Amino acid sequence: RRDHTKIGALVDISYTLNSVLAGLVSITAGCAVMNHWGALITGTLAGILYYLSSRILYLLKIDDVVDAFPVHGICGAFGVLATGFFATPFYYKL
């Protein structure tokens, strides 16, 4: 795997596609109780969180070839937490 932090490196499409997947994974937990702005913020933050966690695993030399843990583990857990922050009372009843 190349080091993509160098200036002039090629863009790796797998980071883009996995960032989209991370956004979809993170919004799954709260899709029934979030409005569209909460979903947009959650998905955007999850894409950034995916990239950072993938880079940390790379720097720690932990082999995760398809980045399954950053996408499903980290961003899935973030989605559960984001549900508590972005849930709107209009969509749920206590």
Side-chain angles (χ1 to χ4, degrees):
R1 190 168 175 179
R2 290 185 185 167
D3 185 11
H4 296 287
T5 58
K6 295 179 183 176
I7 295 175
L10 296 174
V11 176
D12 190 359
I13 194 72
S14 66
Y15 282 124
T16 305
L17 295 176
N18 279 337
S19 293
V20 171
L21 184 59
L24 293 172
V25 167
S26 68
I27 193 57
T28 303
C31 65
V33 294
M34 285 187 199
N35 62 9
H36 59 284
W37 290 111
L40 180 68
I41 293 169
T42 300
T44 303
L45 290 177
I48 296 167
L49 188 62
Y50 155 73
Y51 180 75
L52 294 175
S53 61
S54 177
R55 296 303 300 161
I56 288 171
L57 285 180
Y58 179 75
L59 293 174
L60 294 174
K61 298 185 187 301
I62 298 174
D63 187 26
D64 189 3
V65 179
V66 294
D67 282 340
F69 181 71
V71 170
H72 296 283
I74 300 293
C75 294
F78 171 71
V80 171
L81 295 174
T83 300
F85 289 117
F86 296 115
T88 54
F90 179 76
Y91 293 111
Y92 67 88
K93 294 180 183 179
L94 294 177

